[in-house]
Amino acid sequence: MHVFLAFLYVSLAAAPGCWSLPTREESIKNTRHSIINIAQITLVHIKKLKTTLPVAQQTEPGTPPIEGLTGISRDLGLLDNELQNPFTELLSQIQADVSSLEGMVRFLAGTMDCPIQPKPRAETGDNVFPDSHHHLTVAKLQSYLEKFILHKDKLKVC
């Protein structure tokens, strides 16, 4: 009986520490971790998608440098807009990933009091060559996310 009471006392004494809300620093750290996880999952989705798209010539699209949360948010917003093109229905999961990633980066930037620009407006235009557009968009996104993961320390600066 004494063992049970001792266990109950220790459990109740330790419980408030276990149920506390995360600190701002813990929240920021968890958000950064989630952002990196989504980027890695998106790369897996891209690699899986590339096996279903018709084969196209390999292109290395230019991507902007990874400079900080403000730039990352802008770049992801532009990529999200490209993925929302009506011709990219095939890319719906990847578009959802990028949209989620962009939203989390915006949230993190706001949490860290970084200046946030409005989300770029989507350009409307007819795409005469949707397959080429798919390949270019996917290649650009893959290149950007690979570079982003390599420079994940930029999630700590505005």
Side-chain angles (χ1 to χ4, degrees):
M1 180 71 170
H2 293 291
V3 173
F4 175 72
L5 289 175
F7 178 73
L8 181 62
Y9 175 76
V10 169
S11 298
L12 291 175
C18 297
W19 294 339
S20 65
L21 293 174
T23 64
R24 181 175 186 258
E25 290 77 23
E26 289 171 335
S27 178
I28 289 171
K29 181 180 174 184
N30 290 339
T31 302
R32 284 186 194 126
H33 183 71
S34 295
I35 290 169
I36 297 303
N37 283 340
I38 291 172
Q40 291 170 330
I41 289 168
T42 305
L43 284 171
V44 170
H45 289 155
I46 288 170
K47 289 175 183 166
K48 190 174 183 179
L49 176 71
K50 281 187 162 186
T51 63
T52 63
L53 287 175
V55 178
Q57 63 183 15
Q58 294 296 325
T59 58
E60 276 299 318
T63 56
I66 309 293
E67 296 174 342
L69 289 168
T70 303
I72 294 168
S73 175
R74 179 196 63 239
D75 298 338
L76 289 172
L78 290 169
L79 288 165
D80 185 27
N81 287 343
E82 277 190 56
L83 291 166
Q84 289 183 20
N85 185 309
F87 294 103
T88 58
E89 190 175 309
L90 184 63
L91 307 175
S92 61
Q93 178 59 55
I94 293 170
Q95 188 277 322
D97 292 345
V98 172
S99 184
S100 177
L101 189 59
E102 191 256 345
M104 291 186 78
V105 168
R106 283 185 169 278
F107 172 77
L108 180 61
T111 303
M112 295 176 57
D113 298 323
C114 296
I116 304 172
Q117 300 171 349
K119 184 175 178 174
R121 293 179 44 169
E123 294 179 22
T124 56
D126 293 332
N127 192 338
V128 181
F129 303 105
D131 286 340
S132 297
H133 178 76
H134 289 151
H135 285 286
L136 184 59
T137 301
V138 169
K140 189 187 311 182
L141 178 60
Q142 181 177 12
S143 177
Y144 185 81
L145 291 177
E146 286 170 347
K147 191 182 338 179
F148 170 74
I149 289 171
L150 289 174
H151 296 94
K152 61 186 171 197
D153 58 318
K154 297 295 184 172
L155 289 172
K156 297 178 181 178
V157 297
C158 291

